Amino acid sequence: AAGGLVDFLDMELAYGDEKIRETLRMLENSSVSLIVSFHDFEKTPPKEVLFSTLAAEIRAGAHVAKLAAMPRNEEDVLALLSATLLVRREYPHIPLITMSMGGIGAVSRVTGGLFGSDLSFAVGSKASAPGQIPVAALKQCLSVLHPLES
């Protein structure tokens, strides 16, 4: 970060507020932004927990708040999108990255921007998480949802 080799540093919320504050102090005189993230590869917590987790990331000082969860059913995907929308309305100035993983959650990677997620992940040559869509397919889907922005 000090050498300007990265643009973003991603740190799990689980490291705690003190470690996050320490990292933010380290980044003060750099152009590097801190992503504070939470991943649940087993399940999707309830909407209220998703909201409070993203809010905790923001209160901890995140320049970007990120949350990824594994859905067990379609309602879990809706909970993630709903929580994203609530956080977007409550904290309009903080960039958000949210996604529901796996096949069921792939729709969140396409429609997340409609609910307040500012970034999605796509597959270049090899997926780094379940449910990622190949970049060409994601680009095509996004051009349908956002025809004037493509």
Side-chain angles (χ1 to χ4, degrees):
L5 299 175
V6 297
D7 295 317
F8 293 92
L9 187 67
D10 189 328
M11 178 178 225
E12 286 283 335
L13 180 64
Y15 277 106
D17 287 348
E18 184 51 43
K19 277 276 194 207
I20 293 170
R21 280 192 297 274
E22 181 182 312
T23 302
L24 285 166
R25 284 191 295 274
M26 178 187 76
L27 297 177
E28 274 180 2
N29 296 316
S30 75
S31 61
V32 178
S33 295
L34 181 64
I35 299 170
V36 177
S37 61
F38 172 84
H39 298 81
D40 191 328
F41 289 95
E42 301 295 320
K43 65 185 180 329
T44 298
K47 177 176 73 172
E48 298 76 19
V49 173
L50 296 170
F51 177 89
S52 64
T53 299
L54 285 162
E57 293 172 359
I58 293 166
R59 284 192 310 274
H63 299 128
V64 179
K66 177 182 168 191
L67 190 145
M70 183 63 74
R72 293 187 175 163
N73 53 46
E74 292 82 359
E75 289 81 5
D76 285 348
V77 179
L78 293 174
L80 178 120
L81 292 171
S82 180
T84 301
L85 183 59
L86 292 171
V87 174
R88 168 55 61 229
R89 289 179 175 164
E90 185 76 21
Y91 302 97
H93 61 288
I94 300 292
L96 302 175
I97 303 169
T98 64
M99 70 217 56
S100 195
M101 296 183 278
I104 296 171
V107 68
S108 72
R109 297 173 183 277
V110 175
T111 62
L114 299 173
F115 296 88
S117 184
D118 295 299
L119 189 139
S120 188
F121 289 82
V123 175
S125 58
K126 185 179 177 194
S128 62
Q132 288 180 343
I133 300 167
V135 69
L138 182 58
K139 185 175 181 181
Q140 184 177 15
C141 291
L142 292 175
S143 73
V144 171
L145 291 176
H146 309 282
L148 300 176
E149 299 172 21
S150 299

